[in-house]
Amino acid sequence: MKKSKIVFLILCVCSLVLEALPYGAVCRFATPEETYTETFSYFSLVPYGYANFGPFITAIMTCLLFIFAVLLFTSVGRKVIGAARIVSIISVVASLLPLMFGIYYFNVVSLAISLLMFIQFIVIIKIKREVLNNETQ
């Protein structure tokens, strides 16, 4: 079980690093002459101001998941695991929200973050199963 917790923590750190880079959140702007794309950090409020809510919500949820990952090392409460599972699924959905605007609002970094969020969800389910198995033994 310790190995799953370490994997969960590493995935959270990798997600935070990718979200901090200024390449994940995509905004498209148009002038009368051309359309151009700019990328921002997931923690930036610029995309949020242009109604691209997904990246900022994902960033906040990732911070919560990091806190839960640290808490999992100090205690193995089912409430912490249950809350982490809920936050994890919300972060997966939020990371996919830019696709509502179209594929142009999603890039390779966004895809990597979404995949990391999904893998975190899978790992937290595995941790929950391991905890339940240890309690029944």
Side-chain angles (χ1 to χ4, degrees), residues 42-95:
Y42 267 49
F43 292 97
S44 175
L45 290 175
V46 173
Y48 192 84
Y50 285 101
N52 191 356
F53 303 112
F56 188 69
I57 294 170
T58 303
I60 299 300
M61 294 297 147
T62 304
C63 291
L64 284 173
L65 284 172
F66 180 74
I67 292 169
F68 289 142
V70 171
L71 286 175
L72 282 175
F73 279 105
T74 60
S75 67
V76 187
R78 284 201 281 171
K79 291 182 180 180
V80 173
I81 295 171
R85 195 181 75 206
I86 292 169
V87 170
S88 180
I89 195 67
I90 291 170
S91 68
V92 170
V93 172
S95 70

Short mmCIF file of all heavy atoms in Angstrom, two decimals, residues 42-95:
data_model
loop_
_atom_site.label_atom_id
_atom_site.label_comp_id
_atom_site.label_asym_id
_atom_site.label_seq_id
_atom_site.Cartn_x
_atom_site.Cartn_y
_atom_site.Cartn_z
N TYR A 42 -2.00 26.91 -15.74
CA TYR A 42 -3.32 26.54 -15.23
C TYR A 42 -3.71 27.42 -14.05
O TYR A 42 -4.89 27.56 -13.75
CB TYR A 42 -3.33 25.07 -14.80
CG TYR A 42 -3.79 24.11 -15.87
CD1 TYR A 42 -3.28 24.15 -17.16
CD2 TYR A 42 -4.74 23.16 -15.58
CE1 TYR A 42 -3.70 23.28 -18.12
CE2 TYR A 42 -5.17 22.27 -16.55
CZ TYR A 42 -4.65 22.34 -17.82
OH TYR A 42 -5.08 21.47 -18.77
N PHE A 43 -2.74 28.01 -13.38
CA PHE A 43 -3.02 28.87 -12.23
C PHE A 43 -3.32 30.31 -12.63
O PHE A 43 -3.68 31.12 -11.79
CB PHE A 43 -1.84 28.84 -11.25
CG PHE A 43 -1.67 27.51 -10.59
CD1 PHE A 43 -0.75 26.59 -11.07
CD2 PHE A 43 -2.42 27.17 -9.49
CE1 PHE A 43 -0.59 25.37 -10.46
CE2 PHE A 43 -2.28 25.94 -8.87
CZ PHE A 43 -1.36 25.04 -9.37
N SER A 44 -3.18 30.64 -13.89
CA SER A 44 -3.45 31.98 -14.38
C SER A 44 -4.96 32.24 -14.43
O SER A 44 -5.75 31.37 -14.78
CB SER A 44 -2.86 32.17 -15.78
OG SER A 44 -3.22 33.42 -16.30
N LEU A 45 -5.33 33.46 -14.10
CA LEU A 45 -6.75 33.82 -14.15
C LEU A 45 -7.17 34.40 -15.50
O LEU A 45 -8.34 34.70 -15.69
CB LEU A 45 -7.07 34.82 -13.03
CG LEU A 45 -7.02 34.23 -11.62
CD1 LEU A 45 -7.23 35.31 -10.59
CD2 LEU A 45 -8.06 33.14 -11.46
N VAL A 46 -6.23 34.53 -16.42
CA VAL A 46 -6.58 35.06 -17.75
C VAL A 46 -7.55 34.13 -18.47
O VAL A 46 -8.60 34.58 -18.94
CB VAL A 46 -5.31 35.33 -18.59
CG1 VAL A 46 -5.68 35.72 -20.02
CG2 VAL A 46 -4.48 36.42 -17.95
N PRO A 47 -7.28 32.82 -18.58
CA PRO A 47 -8.27 31.95 -19.23
C PRO A 47 -9.60 31.93 -18.47
O PRO A 47 -10.66 31.87 -19.09
CB PRO A 47 -7.62 30.57 -19.20
CG PRO A 47 -6.18 30.82 -19.06
CD PRO A 47 -6.06 32.07 -18.26
N TYR A 48 -9.53 32.00 -17.16
CA TYR A 48 -10.75 32.04 -16.34
C TYR A 48 -11.57 33.28 -16.69
O TYR A 48 -12.80 33.21 -16.78
CB TYR A 48 -10.36 32.04 -14.86
CG TYR A 48 -11.50 31.81 -13.91
CD1 TYR A 48 -11.92 30.53 -13.63
CD2 TYR A 48 -12.15 32.86 -13.29
CE1 TYR A 48 -12.97 30.29 -12.75
CE2 TYR A 48 -13.20 32.65 -12.42
CZ TYR A 48 -13.59 31.36 -12.15
OH TYR A 48 -14.63 31.14 -11.28
N GLY A 49 -10.90 34.39 -16.91
CA GLY A 49 -11.58 35.63 -17.30
C GLY A 49 -12.23 35.56 -18.66
O GLY A 49 -13.19 36.28 -18.94
N TYR A 50 -11.70 34.69 -19.51
CA TYR A 50 -12.29 34.48 -20.83
C TYR A 50 -13.19 33.26 -20.87
O TYR A 50 -13.40 32.67 -21.93
CB TYR A 50 -11.18 34.36 -21.89
CG TYR A 50 -10.55 35.69 -22.22
CD1 TYR A 50 -9.32 36.04 -21.67
CD2 TYR A 50 -11.18 36.58 -23.07
CE1 TYR A 50 -8.74 37.26 -21.96
CE2 TYR A 50 -10.60 37.80 -23.36
CZ TYR A 50 -9.39 38.13 -22.81
OH TYR A 50 -8.82 39.34 -23.10
N ALA A 51 -13.74 32.88 -19.73
CA ALA A 51 -14.73 31.81 -19.57
C ALA A 51 -14.18 30.41 -19.80
O ALA A 51 -14.93 29.48 -20.02
CB ALA A 51 -15.95 32.04 -20.45
N ASN A 52 -12.87 30.25 -19.75
CA ASN A 52 -12.26 28.93 -19.81
C ASN A 52 -11.97 28.50 -18.37
O ASN A 52 -10.87 28.66 -17.86
CB ASN A 52 -10.98 28.97 -20.65
CG ASN A 52 -10.46 27.59 -20.97
OD1 ASN A 52 -11.00 26.60 -20.52
ND2 ASN A 52 -9.40 27.55 -21.75
N PHE A 53 -12.99 27.98 -17.69
CA PHE A 53 -12.92 27.71 -16.26
C PHE A 53 -12.14 26.46 -15.91
O PHE A 53 -11.64 26.33 -14.81
CB PHE A 53 -14.34 27.58 -15.68
CG PHE A 53 -15.20 28.77 -15.92
CD1 PHE A 53 -16.28 28.69 -16.77
CD2 PHE A 53 -14.92 29.97 -15.30
CE1 PHE A 53 -17.09 29.79 -17.00
CE2 PHE A 53 -15.72 31.08 -15.51
CZ PHE A 53 -16.81 30.99 -16.36
N GLY A 54 -12.08 25.52 -16.81
CA GLY A 54 -11.51 24.21 -16.53
C GLY A 54 -10.09 24.21 -15.98
O GLY A 54 -9.82 23.54 -14.99
N PRO A 55 -9.16 24.93 -16.60
CA PRO A 55 -7.78 24.87 -16.10
C PRO A 55 -7.62 25.35 -14.66
O PRO A 55 -6.91 24.70 -13.87
CB PRO A 55 -7.02 25.77 -17.07
CG PRO A 55 -7.79 25.71 -18.32
CD PRO A 55 -9.22 25.62 -17.89
N PHE A 56 -8.25 26.43 -14.29
CA PHE A 56 -8.10 26.95 -12.93
C PHE A 56 -8.74 26.01 -11.91
O PHE A 56 -8.16 25.75 -10.85
CB PHE A 56 -8.68 28.36 -12.81
CG PHE A 56 -8.38 29.01 -11.49
CD1 PHE A 56 -7.09 29.40 -11.18
CD2 PHE A 56 -9.38 29.23 -10.57
CE1 PHE A 56 -6.80 29.99 -9.97
CE2 PHE A 56 -9.11 29.83 -9.36
CZ PHE A 56 -7.81 30.21 -9.05
N ILE A 57 -9.90 25.46 -12.24
CA ILE A 57 -10.55 24.50 -11.34
C ILE A 57 -9.68 23.25 -11.19
O ILE A 57 -9.51 22.73 -10.08
CB ILE A 57 -11.96 24.13 -11.85
CG1 ILE A 57 -12.86 25.37 -11.79
CG2 ILE A 57 -12.55 22.98 -11.06
CD1 ILE A 57 -14.19 25.19 -12.48
N THR A 58 -9.08 22.80 -12.28
CA THR A 58 -8.19 21.65 -12.23
C THR A 58 -6.98 21.94 -11.34
O THR A 58 -6.56 21.09 -10.56
CB THR A 58 -7.71 21.29 -13.65
OG1 THR A 58 -8.85 21.03 -14.48
CG2 THR A 58 -6.82 20.06 -13.64
N ALA A 59 -6.43 23.14 -11.45
CA ALA A 59 -5.28 23.51 -10.62
C ALA A 59 -5.63 23.50 -9.14
O ALA A 59 -4.87 23.00 -8.31
CB ALA A 59 -4.77 24.88 -11.04
N ILE A 60 -6.79 24.04 -8.79
CA ILE A 60 -7.22 24.05 -7.39
C ILE A 60 -7.44 22.62 -6.89
O ILE A 60 -7.03 22.26 -5.78
CB ILE A 60 -8.51 24.89 -7.22
CG1 ILE A 60 -8.26 26.35 -7.62
CG2 ILE A 60 -9.05 24.79 -5.80
CD1 ILE A 60 -7.20 27.04 -6.82
N MET A 61 -8.07 21.79 -7.71
CA MET A 61 -8.31 20.40 -7.32
C MET A 61 -7.00 19.62 -7.18
O MET A 61 -6.88 18.76 -6.31
CB MET A 61 -9.22 19.70 -8.34
CG MET A 61 -10.62 20.23 -8.40
SD MET A 61 -11.46 20.00 -6.85
CE MET A 61 -12.49 21.43 -6.81
N THR A 62 -6.02 19.93 -8.00
CA THR A 62 -4.73 19.27 -7.88
C THR A 62 -4.04 19.64 -6.58
O THR A 62 -3.40 18.80 -5.95
CB THR A 62 -3.83 19.62 -9.09
OG1 THR A 62 -4.52 19.28 -10.29
CG2 THR A 62 -2.53 18.86 -9.04
N CYS A 63 -4.17 20.90 -6.18
CA CYS A 63 -3.61 21.31 -4.88
C CYS A 63 -4.29 20.54 -3.74
O CYS A 63 -3.62 20.10 -2.80
CB CYS A 63 -3.78 22.81 -4.68
SG CYS A 63 -2.77 23.80 -5.78
N LEU A 64 -5.60 20.37 -3.83
CA LEU A 64 -6.31 19.58 -2.81
C LEU A 64 -5.85 18.13 -2.82
O LEU A 64 -5.67 17.52 -1.76
CB LEU A 64 -7.81 19.65 -3.05
CG LEU A 64 -8.52 20.92 -2.64
CD1 LEU A 64 -9.98 20.89 -3.09
CD2 LEU A 64 -8.44 21.12 -1.15
N LEU A 65 -5.65 17.58 -4.01
CA LEU A 65 -5.18 16.20 -4.11
C LEU A 65 -3.78 16.05 -3.52
O LEU A 65 -3.46 15.03 -2.90
CB LEU A 65 -5.19 15.72 -5.56
CG LEU A 65 -6.55 15.38 -6.14
CD1 LEU A 65 -6.44 15.12 -7.63
CD2 LEU A 65 -7.16 14.21 -5.43
N PHE A 66 -2.95 17.06 -3.70
CA PHE A 66 -1.62 17.02 -3.10
C PHE A 66 -1.71 17.01 -1.57
O PHE A 66 -1.00 16.25 -0.90
CB PHE A 66 -0.78 18.21 -3.57
CG PHE A 66 0.60 18.24 -2.99
CD1 PHE A 66 1.56 17.36 -3.44
CD2 PHE A 66 0.92 19.13 -1.98
CE1 PHE A 66 2.83 17.37 -2.89
CE2 PHE A 66 2.18 19.16 -1.43
CZ PHE A 66 3.15 18.27 -1.89
N ILE A 67 -2.61 17.82 -1.03
CA ILE A 67 -2.82 17.82 0.42
C ILE A 67 -3.32 16.45 0.88
O ILE A 67 -2.85 15.92 1.89
CB ILE A 67 -3.80 18.94 0.82
CG1 ILE A 67 -3.15 20.30 0.59
CG2 ILE A 67 -4.24 18.80 2.27
CD1 ILE A 67 -4.11 21.47 0.71
N PHE A 68 -4.25 15.86 0.14
CA PHE A 68 -4.74 14.53 0.48
C PHE A 68 -3.63 13.48 0.40
O PHE A 68 -3.57 12.56 1.20
CB PHE A 68 -5.91 14.12 -0.40
CG PHE A 68 -7.18 14.87 -0.13
CD1 PHE A 68 -8.01 15.23 -1.17
CD2 PHE A 68 -7.55 15.21 1.16
CE1 PHE A 68 -9.19 15.92 -0.93
CE2 PHE A 68 -8.72 15.89 1.42
CZ PHE A 68 -9.54 16.25 0.37
N ALA A 69 -2.75 13.63 -0.60
CA ALA A 69 -1.64 12.67 -0.75
C ALA A 69 -0.71 12.75 0.45
O ALA A 69 -0.23 11.73 0.95
CB ALA A 69 -0.88 12.95 -2.04
N VAL A 70 -0.46 13.95 0.94
CA VAL A 70 0.38 14.10 2.14
C VAL A 70 -0.35 13.54 3.36
O VAL A 70 0.27 12.86 4.20
CB VAL A 70 0.76 15.59 2.34
CG1 VAL A 70 1.44 15.80 3.67
CG2 VAL A 70 1.65 16.07 1.20
N LEU A 71 -1.65 13.78 3.46
CA LEU A 71 -2.42 13.25 4.58
C LEU A 71 -2.46 11.73 4.59
O LEU A 71 -2.54 11.11 5.65
CB LEU A 71 -3.84 13.80 4.57
CG LEU A 71 -4.02 15.25 5.00
CD1 LEU A 71 -5.47 15.68 4.82
CD2 LEU A 71 -3.58 15.44 6.43
N LEU A 72 -2.42 11.12 3.42
CA LEU A 72 -2.45 9.66 3.35
C LEU A 72 -1.22 9.03 3.98
O LEU A 72 -1.25 7.89 4.42
CB LEU A 72 -2.60 9.19 1.91
CG LEU A 72 -4.00 9.28 1.31
CD1 LEU A 72 -3.98 8.91 -0.15
CD2 LEU A 72 -4.96 8.40 2.08
N PHE A 73 -0.11 9.78 4.02
CA PHE A 73 1.09 9.25 4.67
C PHE A 73 0.98 9.31 6.19
O PHE A 73 1.62 8.54 6.89
CB PHE A 73 2.34 10.00 4.21
CG PHE A 73 2.85 9.52 2.90
CD1 PHE A 73 2.65 10.26 1.75
CD2 PHE A 73 3.51 8.31 2.80
CE1 PHE A 73 3.11 9.82 0.54
CE2 PHE A 73 3.97 7.86 1.58
CZ PHE A 73 3.77 8.61 0.45
N THR A 74 0.20 10.24 6.71
CA THR A 74 0.08 10.37 8.15
C THR A 74 -1.07 9.54 8.71
O THR A 74 -1.00 9.08 9.83
CB THR A 74 -0.11 11.85 8.55
OG1 THR A 74 -1.30 12.35 7.92
CG2 THR A 74 1.08 12.68 8.11
N SER A 75 -2.13 9.38 7.95
CA SER A 75 -3.26 8.59 8.41
C SER A 75 -3.88 7.86 7.23
O SER A 75 -3.80 8.31 6.10
CB SER A 75 -4.31 9.49 9.06
OG SER A 75 -4.88 10.33 8.10
N VAL A 76 -4.51 6.77 7.53
CA VAL A 76 -5.16 5.99 6.48
C VAL A 76 -6.66 5.99 6.77
O VAL A 76 -7.27 4.95 6.95
CB VAL A 76 -4.61 4.55 6.43
CG1 VAL A 76 -5.17 3.81 5.23
CG2 VAL A 76 -3.11 4.56 6.37
N GLY A 77 -7.23 7.16 6.85
CA GLY A 77 -8.66 7.25 7.10
C GLY A 77 -9.45 7.05 5.83
O GLY A 77 -9.05 7.50 4.75
N ARG A 78 -10.56 6.35 5.96
CA ARG A 78 -11.40 6.14 4.79
C ARG A 78 -12.02 7.45 4.33
O ARG A 78 -12.35 7.59 3.16
CB ARG A 78 -12.48 5.10 5.07
CG ARG A 78 -11.92 3.69 5.08
CD ARG A 78 -12.98 2.67 4.86
NE ARG A 78 -13.73 2.43 6.08
CZ ARG A 78 -14.83 1.71 6.12
NH1 ARG A 78 -15.30 1.17 5.04
NH2 ARG A 78 -15.46 1.53 7.25
N LYS A 79 -12.19 8.39 5.25
CA LYS A 79 -12.75 9.69 4.85
C LYS A 79 -11.80 10.44 3.95
O LYS A 79 -12.22 11.08 2.99
CB LYS A 79 -13.08 10.52 6.08
CG LYS A 79 -14.24 9.99 6.89
CD LYS A 79 -14.55 10.87 8.06
CE LYS A 79 -15.72 10.30 8.84
NZ LYS A 79 -16.07 11.13 9.99
N VAL A 80 -10.50 10.37 4.23
CA VAL A 80 -9.51 11.04 3.39
C VAL A 80 -9.49 10.40 2.01
O VAL A 80 -9.46 11.10 0.99
CB VAL A 80 -8.11 10.98 4.04
CG1 VAL A 80 -7.05 11.52 3.10
CG2 VAL A 80 -8.09 11.74 5.35
N ILE A 81 -9.55 9.09 1.96
CA ILE A 81 -9.53 8.40 0.67
C ILE A 81 -10.81 8.69 -0.10
O ILE A 81 -10.77 8.93 -1.31
CB ILE A 81 -9.34 6.88 0.89
CG1 ILE A 81 -7.96 6.62 1.48
CG2 ILE A 81 -9.51 6.13 -0.42
CD1 ILE A 81 -7.74 5.20 1.93
N GLY A 82 -11.94 8.72 0.58
CA GLY A 82 -13.21 9.03 -0.09
C GLY A 82 -13.22 10.45 -0.63
O GLY A 82 -13.66 10.69 -1.77
N ALA A 83 -12.72 11.39 0.15
CA ALA A 83 -12.66 12.78 -0.32
C ALA A 83 -11.69 12.91 -1.49
O ALA A 83 -11.97 13.63 -2.46
CB ALA A 83 -12.24 13.70 0.83
N ALA A 84 -10.57 12.21 -1.42
CA ALA A 84 -9.60 12.25 -2.52
C ALA A 84 -10.20 11.67 -3.79
O ALA A 84 -9.95 12.18 -4.89
CB ALA A 84 -8.33 11.50 -2.13
N ARG A 85 -11.00 10.63 -3.65
CA ARG A 85 -11.65 10.03 -4.83
C ARG A 85 -12.62 11.00 -5.48
O ARG A 85 -12.65 11.15 -6.71
CB ARG A 85 -12.35 8.74 -4.43
CG ARG A 85 -12.72 7.89 -5.63
CD ARG A 85 -13.43 6.65 -5.23
NE ARG A 85 -14.78 7.05 -4.85
CZ ARG A 85 -15.55 6.40 -4.01
NH1 ARG A 85 -15.12 5.32 -3.42
NH2 ARG A 85 -16.76 6.81 -3.74
N ILE A 86 -13.40 11.70 -4.67
CA ILE A 86 -14.36 12.67 -5.21
C ILE A 86 -13.64 13.83 -5.88
O ILE A 86 -13.99 14.24 -6.99
CB ILE A 86 -15.30 13.15 -4.09
CG1 ILE A 86 -16.21 12.01 -3.65
CG2 ILE A 86 -16.13 14.35 -4.54
CD1 ILE A 86 -16.99 12.29 -2.39
N VAL A 87 -12.63 14.37 -5.21
CA VAL A 87 -11.87 15.48 -5.79
C VAL A 87 -11.16 15.03 -7.06
O VAL A 87 -11.06 15.78 -8.04
CB VAL A 87 -10.87 16.05 -4.76
CG1 VAL A 87 -9.90 17.02 -5.39
CG2 VAL A 87 -11.62 16.72 -3.61
N SER A 88 -10.70 13.81 -7.07
CA SER A 88 -10.01 13.28 -8.25
C SER A 88 -10.93 13.20 -9.46
O SER A 88 -10.55 13.60 -10.57
CB SER A 88 -9.44 11.90 -7.93
OG SER A 88 -8.79 11.36 -9.03
N ILE A 89 -12.15 12.72 -9.28
CA ILE A 89 -13.07 12.63 -10.42
C ILE A 89 -13.49 14.02 -10.88
O ILE A 89 -13.65 14.27 -12.09
CB ILE A 89 -14.28 11.72 -10.12
CG1 ILE A 89 -15.02 11.36 -11.41
CG2 ILE A 89 -15.23 12.33 -9.14
CD1 ILE A 89 -14.27 10.50 -12.35
N ILE A 90 -13.63 14.96 -9.95
CA ILE A 90 -13.94 16.34 -10.33
C ILE A 90 -12.80 16.93 -11.13
O ILE A 90 -13.02 17.63 -12.13
CB ILE A 90 -14.26 17.19 -9.08
CG1 ILE A 90 -15.58 16.75 -8.46
CG2 ILE A 90 -14.31 18.68 -9.43
CD1 ILE A 90 -15.86 17.38 -7.11
N SER A 91 -11.57 16.62 -10.75
CA SER A 91 -10.43 17.16 -11.49
C SER A 91 -10.32 16.56 -12.88
O SER A 91 -9.91 17.24 -13.83
CB SER A 91 -9.14 16.95 -10.71
OG SER A 91 -8.81 15.58 -10.63
N VAL A 92 -10.70 15.30 -13.04
CA VAL A 92 -10.69 14.69 -14.38
C VAL A 92 -11.70 15.41 -15.27
O VAL A 92 -11.39 15.78 -16.41
CB VAL A 92 -11.01 13.18 -14.30
CG1 VAL A 92 -11.26 12.61 -15.68
CG2 VAL A 92 -9.90 12.43 -13.61
N VAL A 93 -12.89 15.62 -14.76
CA VAL A 93 -13.93 16.31 -15.54
C VAL A 93 -13.51 17.75 -15.85
O VAL A 93 -13.65 18.23 -16.98
CB VAL A 93 -15.29 16.26 -14.80
CG1 VAL A 93 -16.32 17.13 -15.50
CG2 VAL A 93 -15.77 14.83 -14.69
N ALA A 94 -12.96 18.45 -14.85
CA ALA A 94 -12.55 19.84 -15.04
C ALA A 94 -11.40 19.95 -16.04
O ALA A 94 -11.35 20.91 -16.81
CB ALA A 94 -12.15 20.47 -13.72
N SER A 95 -10.51 18.96 -16.06
CA SER A 95 -9.41 19.02 -17.01
C SER A 95 -9.87 18.84 -18.44
O SER A 95 -9.18 19.24 -19.38
CB SER A 95 -8.35 17.99 -16.66
OG SER A 95 -8.82 16.68 -16.91
#
